[in-house]
Amino acid sequence: MAGILYLCATPIGNLEDVTLRVLRILKEVDVIAAEDTRQTIKLLNHFEIKTPLVSYHEHNKIEKTPVLVDRMLGGENIALVTDAGTPAISDPGEDLVRACHEAGVEVTSLPGASAVITALTLSGMKARRFTFEGFLPVDKKERKPVLERLSESVCTTVFYEAPHRLRKTLQLFLDTVGEERGIAVCKELTKKHEKVLHFTMAEAVRYFEETEPKGEFVLVIEGVDEKEQELEKQRQWMEMPLEEHMERYLNQGMSKKEAMKQVAKDRGMQKREVYNALL
């Protein structure tokens, strides 16, 4: 019988947030695969857990993934933990999970702390739909589509950020979405000095120009107002001559009737108004 991969959520700050089920599994498995064994050993020592540790992180996942899968195929049970929070979110755990599914190894997740959900619920932003982007890419080409999505998204967007990059990231956001977009800056979640600071984007940039960023940050950014976005699109269409607007859809293969209907929708007009204007 093959073993099981357990995805064990660990505290993001307060050690009391670990679940009883996670503690039991960490004691029962054959080995714990940890993103940073130095961090995980602190948790294990606190709860007097003696299970062996192996490292599994971004820089060794290519060689370690098949080794861990082979161990589970041989019958061993393995617990996967990240530095803090839920594994496979913004860490290499997703590669191990994928490899297990491909090899037919059972995977189960033990829910618990997650910085994304904790920050989102604390922010007061709309949470029915949201986008999680992880860390903003350092590479300019990779970063561009992320910022483009942010500028147009009507959903709340969540980012992680390290303190030494926070000022630069906030300035990029300001340049992308403008001064008035709302942002909740969440820091030191579940810890003694937990804070949730609400700003406009311009206020956030000014605040951290004067205040040294310390701790780990989760940034929750409000989406574009859908009604305002629709009005802006209408304004842009209205700047285009009506004949050119029609021609654009006709060139896409639409019939005159279909094109007129779409033009009316784009401009917030009645189809009869478009017809009369063209005449």
Side-chain angles (χ1 to χ4, degrees), residues 1-5 30 65-78 96 99-106:
M1 293 287 290
I4 299 173
L5 176 67
D30 298 287
T65 295
V67 173
L68 294 177
V69 170
D70 284 345
R71 291 182 67 165
M72 285 180 279
L73 287 172
E76 292 189 39
N77 293 319
I78 295 179
L96 182 57
C100 284
H101 288 315
E102 291 171 356
V105 172
E106 182 181 348

Short mmCIF file of all heavy atoms in Angstrom, two decimals, residues 1-5 30 65-78 96 99-106:
data_model
loop_
_atom_site.label_atom_id
_atom_site.label_comp_id
_atom_site.label_asym_id
_atom_site.label_seq_id
_atom_site.Cartn_x
_atom_site.Cartn_y
_atom_site.Cartn_z
N MET A 1 0.84 -1.20 0.00
CA MET A 1 0.00 0.00 0.00
C MET A 1 0.88 1.25 0.00
O MET A 1 1.82 1.37 0.79
CB MET A 1 -0.90 0.02 1.24
CG MET A 1 -1.95 -1.08 1.24
SD MET A 1 -3.26 -0.74 0.06
CE MET A 1 -4.06 0.65 0.84
N ALA A 2 0.55 2.18 -0.90
CA ALA A 2 1.29 3.44 -0.94
C ALA A 2 0.91 4.30 0.26
O ALA A 2 -0.16 4.15 0.85
CB ALA A 2 0.98 4.19 -2.23
N GLY A 3 1.82 5.19 0.61
CA GLY A 3 1.56 6.11 1.72
C GLY A 3 0.71 7.29 1.28
O GLY A 3 0.17 7.32 0.17
N ILE A 4 0.61 8.27 2.15
CA ILE A 4 -0.22 9.45 1.91
C ILE A 4 0.62 10.71 2.10
O ILE A 4 1.49 10.76 2.97
CB ILE A 4 -1.41 9.48 2.89
CG1 ILE A 4 -2.30 8.25 2.69
CG2 ILE A 4 -2.25 10.76 2.73
CD1 ILE A 4 -3.40 8.12 3.73
N LEU A 5 0.33 11.73 1.29
CA LEU A 5 0.92 13.05 1.50
C LEU A 5 -0.09 13.91 2.25
O LEU A 5 -1.22 14.11 1.79
CB LEU A 5 1.28 13.72 0.17
CG LEU A 5 1.82 15.15 0.29
CD1 LEU A 5 3.19 15.15 0.99
CD2 LEU A 5 1.91 15.83 -1.07
N ASP A 30 5.92 9.33 8.92
CA ASP A 30 7.29 8.83 8.93
C ASP A 30 8.32 9.95 8.81
O ASP A 30 9.42 9.85 9.35
CB ASP A 30 7.49 7.84 7.77
CG ASP A 30 6.59 6.62 7.92
OD1 ASP A 30 6.87 5.79 8.80
OD2 ASP A 30 5.60 6.52 7.17
N THR A 65 11.59 15.96 -5.33
CA THR A 65 10.22 15.51 -5.61
C THR A 65 10.14 14.02 -5.92
O THR A 65 9.37 13.29 -5.28
CB THR A 65 9.60 16.34 -6.76
OG1 THR A 65 9.47 17.70 -6.33
CG2 THR A 65 8.21 15.80 -7.13
N PRO A 66 10.94 13.50 -6.89
CA PRO A 66 10.83 12.05 -7.16
C PRO A 66 11.25 11.18 -5.98
O PRO A 66 10.73 10.08 -5.79
CB PRO A 66 11.76 11.85 -8.36
CG PRO A 66 12.66 13.03 -8.38
CD PRO A 66 11.88 14.16 -7.80
N VAL A 67 12.19 11.68 -5.17
CA VAL A 67 12.64 10.92 -4.00
C VAL A 67 11.48 10.77 -3.00
O VAL A 67 11.23 9.67 -2.49
CB VAL A 67 13.85 11.62 -3.32
CG1 VAL A 67 14.19 10.92 -2.00
CG2 VAL A 67 15.05 11.64 -4.25
N LEU A 68 10.78 11.87 -2.74
CA LEU A 68 9.66 11.82 -1.78
C LEU A 68 8.51 10.99 -2.32
O LEU A 68 7.88 10.23 -1.58
CB LEU A 68 9.20 13.24 -1.46
CG LEU A 68 10.19 14.13 -0.70
CD1 LEU A 68 9.63 15.53 -0.52
CD2 LEU A 68 10.55 13.53 0.65
N VAL A 69 8.25 11.11 -3.62
CA VAL A 69 7.18 10.30 -4.22
C VAL A 69 7.51 8.82 -4.12
O VAL A 69 6.65 7.99 -3.77
CB VAL A 69 6.95 10.71 -5.69
CG1 VAL A 69 6.02 9.72 -6.39
CG2 VAL A 69 6.36 12.12 -5.76
N ASP A 70 8.76 8.46 -4.39
CA ASP A 70 9.18 7.05 -4.27
C ASP A 70 9.01 6.54 -2.85
O ASP A 70 8.60 5.39 -2.64
CB ASP A 70 10.64 6.90 -4.72
CG ASP A 70 10.79 6.94 -6.24
OD1 ASP A 70 9.77 6.80 -6.93
OD2 ASP A 70 11.92 7.13 -6.72
N ARG A 71 9.31 7.38 -1.87
CA ARG A 71 9.16 6.96 -0.47
C ARG A 71 7.68 6.69 -0.15
O ARG A 71 7.36 5.73 0.55
CB ARG A 71 9.73 8.03 0.47
CG ARG A 71 11.24 8.15 0.40
CD ARG A 71 11.81 9.16 1.38
NE ARG A 71 11.64 8.77 2.77
CZ ARG A 71 12.29 9.35 3.79
NH1 ARG A 71 13.16 10.32 3.54
NH2 ARG A 71 12.09 8.96 5.02
N MET A 72 6.80 7.53 -0.68
CA MET A 72 5.37 7.31 -0.44
C MET A 72 4.86 6.09 -1.20
O MET A 72 4.04 5.33 -0.69
CB MET A 72 4.58 8.57 -0.81
CG MET A 72 4.73 9.69 0.22
SD MET A 72 3.82 11.20 -0.17
CE MET A 72 4.93 11.98 -1.35
N LEU A 73 5.38 5.87 -2.41
CA LEU A 73 5.00 4.67 -3.15
C LEU A 73 5.48 3.42 -2.42
O LEU A 73 4.89 2.34 -2.55
CB LEU A 73 5.60 4.71 -4.56
CG LEU A 73 4.94 5.71 -5.53
CD1 LEU A 73 5.75 5.79 -6.83
CD2 LEU A 73 3.50 5.31 -5.83
N GLY A 74 6.53 3.58 -1.62
CA GLY A 74 7.05 2.48 -0.83
C GLY A 74 6.31 2.28 0.48
O GLY A 74 6.66 1.38 1.27
N GLY A 75 5.31 3.14 0.75
CA GLY A 75 4.47 2.93 1.93
C GLY A 75 4.63 3.96 3.03
O GLY A 75 3.91 3.91 4.04
N GLU A 76 5.55 4.91 2.88
CA GLU A 76 5.74 5.92 3.93
C GLU A 76 4.70 7.03 3.82
O GLU A 76 4.29 7.40 2.72
CB GLU A 76 7.15 6.53 3.85
CG GLU A 76 8.26 5.57 4.20
CD GLU A 76 9.61 6.27 4.31
OE1 GLU A 76 9.63 7.40 4.83
OE2 GLU A 76 10.62 5.69 3.86
N ASN A 77 4.31 7.56 4.97
CA ASN A 77 3.44 8.74 5.02
C ASN A 77 4.30 9.98 5.27
O ASN A 77 5.20 9.96 6.13
CB ASN A 77 2.41 8.61 6.14
CG ASN A 77 1.42 7.50 5.87
OD1 ASN A 77 0.97 7.32 4.74
ND2 ASN A 77 1.09 6.74 6.91
N ILE A 78 4.03 11.04 4.52
CA ILE A 78 4.83 12.26 4.62
C ILE A 78 3.92 13.45 4.87
O ILE A 78 2.87 13.60 4.24
CB ILE A 78 5.65 12.49 3.33
CG1 ILE A 78 6.68 11.36 3.17
CG2 ILE A 78 6.35 13.85 3.36
CD1 ILE A 78 7.54 11.47 1.91
N LEU A 96 4.99 19.08 -5.65
CA LEU A 96 4.94 17.76 -5.03
C LEU A 96 3.52 17.21 -5.10
O LEU A 96 3.33 16.00 -5.36
CB LEU A 96 5.41 17.85 -3.57
CG LEU A 96 5.46 16.53 -2.80
CD1 LEU A 96 6.35 15.51 -3.51
CD2 LEU A 96 5.95 16.77 -1.37
N ALA A 99 2.94 15.94 -8.60
CA ALA A 99 3.67 14.69 -8.83
C ALA A 99 2.99 13.51 -8.15
O ALA A 99 2.96 12.40 -8.69
CB ALA A 99 5.11 14.83 -8.33
N CYS A 100 2.42 13.74 -6.96
CA CYS A 100 1.70 12.67 -6.26
C CYS A 100 0.46 12.24 -7.03
O CYS A 100 0.19 11.04 -7.17
CB CYS A 100 1.31 13.15 -4.86
SG CYS A 100 2.67 13.19 -3.67
N HIS A 101 -0.29 13.20 -7.54
CA HIS A 101 -1.48 12.86 -8.32
C HIS A 101 -1.09 12.05 -9.55
O HIS A 101 -1.77 11.07 -9.91
CB HIS A 101 -2.22 14.13 -8.74
CG HIS A 101 -2.93 14.83 -7.61
ND1 HIS A 101 -3.69 14.15 -6.69
CD2 HIS A 101 -2.99 16.14 -7.26
CE1 HIS A 101 -4.20 15.02 -5.82
NE2 HIS A 101 -3.78 16.23 -6.15
N GLU A 102 -0.01 12.45 -10.21
CA GLU A 102 0.43 11.74 -11.41
C GLU A 102 0.89 10.32 -11.09
O GLU A 102 0.73 9.41 -11.91
CB GLU A 102 1.56 12.52 -12.08
CG GLU A 102 1.11 13.84 -12.70
CD GLU A 102 2.26 14.70 -13.16
OE1 GLU A 102 3.44 14.30 -12.93
OE2 GLU A 102 2.01 15.77 -13.77
N ALA A 103 1.45 10.12 -9.89
CA ALA A 103 1.97 8.81 -9.51
C ALA A 103 0.91 7.94 -8.82
O ALA A 103 1.17 6.78 -8.50
CB ALA A 103 3.18 8.97 -8.58
N GLY A 104 -0.26 8.50 -8.57
CA GLY A 104 -1.32 7.74 -7.91
C GLY A 104 -1.19 7.72 -6.40
O GLY A 104 -1.77 6.84 -5.75
N VAL A 105 -0.46 8.67 -5.84
CA VAL A 105 -0.31 8.75 -4.38
C VAL A 105 -1.43 9.62 -3.82
O VAL A 105 -1.72 10.71 -4.34
CB VAL A 105 1.06 9.37 -4.00
CG1 VAL A 105 1.13 9.63 -2.50
CG2 VAL A 105 2.19 8.44 -4.43
N GLU A 106 -2.07 9.16 -2.77
CA GLU A 106 -3.17 9.92 -2.16
C GLU A 106 -2.65 11.19 -1.49
O GLU A 106 -1.60 11.19 -0.83
CB GLU A 106 -3.88 9.05 -1.12
CG GLU A 106 -5.08 9.74 -0.47
CD GLU A 106 -5.75 8.88 0.59
OE1 GLU A 106 -5.45 7.68 0.67
OE2 GLU A 106 -6.60 9.42 1.33
#
